[in-house]
Amino acid sequence: MERAELVRELKTLRKGRALAGRVEDRVGPALRSACEVSDADGMVTIRAKVSDRLSELSSQLPEDLRLAALAAFAITPEARQPLYQDRMRWAALRVDRDPRTVRRRVDEAIELLAELALASPASSTPGNWHTLSLTMALVLEESCVFEHHRLVADQDDLRSFDLAVPAGTVLYGGTLSEGTVELPRALSRGESWEFAAVFPAEPKTRLVYLPRHRCEVFDLRVRFGKEGPSEVLALDGAFERDIPDPHYRGRVLQADAAGEVHLQFRHLTPGLVYGARWAP
């Protein structure tokens, strides 16, 4: 694969709607090779493979270049405007720079993405499992979080997977030790597994999930009870620095008559934040 050809294809892909549009004819041979896209893949699969690969590579970039790249290719949900120039204006506001500066950063990011893709083929990148679905429920009145994971092994002889969680009570599916779930038996490639646990929760003003592996569905419920907040803000594909940022504005939600909010996110981008926050 020639680096120059991959750079050219990435610059073509960022135009128009980028990955938010039709991609079958806009993902060239070099990019197909870098993202392990096969001739049998349809539009949805091509979009998912290219988006996941560019997200994984972008996670290795400095934050300003990472933001510029995710906006350029319309991977960040908030930046899925139909025109490239609109996405550049969005990114410029986020980093407090003018759009021309952001466009230069996109060019720099593309050069680095091509180098990273050639240095680490997709088949050799880490990822021995991925999540089919994650269900989380926070019950503030009981100060506990319930989690149910349904994962799939991407390699043979998978014996554990990592969770960035404190010690909790395992309900079924394995043994939790220092953030690692030890499985009762090894899984074969393609085999699915379910794990559930309950964790203690201190008084919170947010509950977010930052996936490090591919995640298809994240289902989140927060039960506030009678004394719920007046406003709940959804974080959908946000950056880590957006979590405490008072100027970040996402989708506004209202708790229902039972004092609950329910959110569901699909096809999450590794390295971005999904969840909810609210005023104390």
Side-chain angles (χ1 to χ4, degrees), residues 33 52 57 65 76 84 97 116 129 148 185 190 206-207 210 219 228 232 242 245 249 258:
S33 176
D52 287 350
L57 294 173
L65 298 185
T76 301
Y84 177 66
R97 295 290 187 273
L116 290 169
W129 58 274
H148 174 269
R185 64 174 179 84
R206 67 190 66 152
L207 182 59
L210 195 160
D219 192 278
V232 181
D242 294 327
D245 185 356
R249 300 301 298 172

Side-chain angles (χ1 to χ4, degrees), residues 163-238:
L163 287 180
V165 296
T169 301
V170 175
L171 301 180
Y172 55 82
T175 303
L176 184 62
S177 175
E178 297 183 353
T180 297
V181 177
E182 301 292 341
L183 302 176
R185 64 174 179 84
L187 303 182
S188 300
R189 182 183 180 91
E191 188 175 359
S192 63
W193 190 261
E194 296 187 17
F195 170 83
V198 176
F199 306 96
E202 298 297 328
K204 288 176 174 286
T205 58
R206 67 190 66 152
L207 182 59
V208 298
Y209 171 49
L210 195 160
R212 299 300 185 187
H213 300 258
R214 178 161 57 97
C215 179
E216 300 298 331
V217 178
F218 172 37
D219 192 278
L220 172 64
R221 295 178 186 269
V222 182
R223 183 178 178 86
F224 298 99
K226 296 180 180 179
E227 301 298 326
S230 59
E231 180 180 283
V232 181
L233 190 68
L235 290 92
D236 186 355

Side-chain angles (χ1 to χ4, degrees), residues 117-143:
L118 292 172
S120 58
S123 58
S124 68
T125 55
N128 49 14
W129 58 274
H130 70 275
T131 300
L132 281 182
S133 64
L134 167 61
T135 299
M136 296 179 66
L138 168 63
V139 183
L140 287 169
E141 294 171 314
E142 301 295 333
S143 299

Side-chain angles (χ1 to χ4, degrees), residues 64-80:
D64 60 334
L65 298 185
R66 175 170 168 258
L67 185 149
L70 295 178
F73 297 111
I75 295 174
T76 301
E78 288 188 340
R80 287 177 184 161

Side-chain angles (χ1 to χ4, degrees), residues 145-165:
V145 177
F146 166 79
E147 291 191 10
H148 174 269
H149 299 254
R150 186 167 176 234
L151 61 94
V152 175
D154 292 329
Q155 66 172 40
D156 288 327
D157 199 35
L158 179 68
R159 297 178 180 274
S160 65
F161 66 98
D162 54 296
L163 287 180
V165 296

